[in-house]
Amino acid sequence: MAHRLGGILLALFLVVVLAVPAVNAWSEPVQTKQWSEPEYTEPWSEPEYTEPWSQPEYVDPWAESEYTGLWDPELPGDEPGEIDPFLLDYESLFGPWSIWLGSIPLGGPNVQQGMDQGAVYISPDGTYILQHEAWSQEIVQGNWRLSYPREINGEVVQAIVLLDGPGGSDWAVAPEPGGKIRLLWAMRWDDGSALWFFDSGLYR
């Protein structure tokens, strides 16, 4: 009997001893701070304003540019006293002129020799008579006027413009530096301006 009681007491003692560490293990919880407040970073703070659409500096496109001297708008002979009087003496263009078409290369040794192509008569009363065989056998009569300043391809010359000449174009009798007289015809642009092409030389 005593032996059985001792066994029971020993068993109880072991249960108590083993139970104490288990109670101590649950008696003090560990603080992990898993719900601690995070540091405030102001995610919606106002960004710095940089004015992406600020107005650029205005540059006047029609402002007068500074003259650099790289291009001279005046043509040689514009200076007073340097224009050959021959280029402005339109009255010397009055009277009869023969039309001379110079030699034309045809390729290789072949050359079309120069030849007379007709005549033009400019009257002081404002009329003219023109027969240009390279354009037509018909004689054209019409009125003439003096050329406008620099009308003949920007040149400083005084020409006589023959209105509605052969081919329906305007023609011009114009001097050139060196003392020669030439016959030109006008190719008109849509804006009314013209480019004048050399046709032939004139002689008396």
Side-chain angles (χ1 to χ4, degrees), residues 29-109:
V30 178
Q31 178 68 32
T32 61
K33 297 185 180 179
Q34 60 182 358
W35 299 106
S36 61
E37 188 73 21
E39 184 180 355
Y40 182 67
T41 59
E42 297 188 62
W44 301 106
S45 59
E46 188 72 20
E48 183 181 355
Y49 182 66
T50 58
E51 295 189 72
W53 302 105
S54 58
Q55 187 73 17
E57 183 181 355
Y58 177 74
V59 178
D60 187 358
W62 301 106
E64 188 72 20
S65 59
E66 182 180 356
Y67 177 67
T68 62
L70 298 179
W71 179 75
D72 189 350
E74 295 186 359
L75 299 177
D78 281 358
E79 298 79 6
E82 294 189 10
I83 300 176
D84 188 344
F86 167 76
L87 300 176
L88 304 179
D89 184 12
Y90 68 90
E91 292 183 355
S92 66
L93 303 177
F94 294 160
W97 295 91
S98 295
I99 300 173
W100 174 258
L101 184 64
S103 299
I104 302 175
L106 300 178

Side-chain angles (χ1 to χ4, degrees), residues 5-204:
L5 182 62
I8 293 172
L9 290 174
L10 179 61
L12 288 173
F13 177 77
L14 290 175
V15 170
V16 171
V17 171
L18 294 176
V20 170
V23 172
N24 289 335
W26 294 101
S27 61
E28 296 192 19
V30 178
Q31 178 68 32
T32 61
K33 297 185 180 179
Q34 60 182 358
W35 299 106
S36 61
E37 188 73 21
E39 184 180 355
Y40 182 67
T41 59
E42 297 188 62
W44 301 106
S45 59
E46 188 72 20
E48 183 181 355
Y49 182 66
T50 58
E51 295 189 72
W53 302 105
S54 58
Q55 187 73 17
E57 183 181 355
Y58 177 74
V59 178
D60 187 358
W62 301 106
E64 188 72 20
S65 59
E66 182 180 356
Y67 177 67
T68 62
L70 298 179
W71 179 75
D72 189 350
E74 295 186 359
L75 299 177
D78 281 358
E79 298 79 6
E82 294 189 10
I83 300 176
D84 188 344
F86 167 76
L87 300 176
L88 304 179
D89 184 12
Y90 68 90
E91 292 183 355
S92 66
L93 303 177
F94 294 160
W97 295 91
S98 295
I99 300 173
W100 174 258
L101 184 64
S103 299
I104 302 175
L106 300 178
N110 302 319
V111 176
Q112 178 179 310
Q113 299 298 323
M115 64 184 72
D116 285 318
Q117 287 293 316
V120 58
Y121 180 82
I122 300 173
S123 175
D125 66 1
T127 61
Y128 74 89
I129 300 173
L130 173 62
Q131 182 184 20
H132 197 321
E133 295 177 3
W135 287 74
S136 174
Q137 293 293 327
E138 297 182 3
I139 297 176
V140 178
Q141 300 183 41
N143 298 317
W144 61 262
R145 64 169 174 81
L146 294 178
S147 63
Y148 305 126
R150 296 182 181 273
E151 180 180 2
I152 308 300
N153 296 335
E155 299 177 16
V156 183
V157 298
Q158 182 68 77
I160 289 180
V161 178
L162 312 177
L163 303 174
D164 299 322
S169 300
D170 290 341
W171 293 68
V173 175
E176 65 178 358
K180 295 182 179 180
I181 305 298
R182 57 207 156 133
L183 184 63
L184 308 159
W185 63 275
M187 183 180 73
R188 293 287 176 187
W189 302 108
D190 291 339
D191 62 0
S193 62
L195 184 63
W196 295 86
F197 289 92
F198 177 85
D199 178 83
S200 52
L202 299 179
Y203 71 96
R204 293 204 192 267

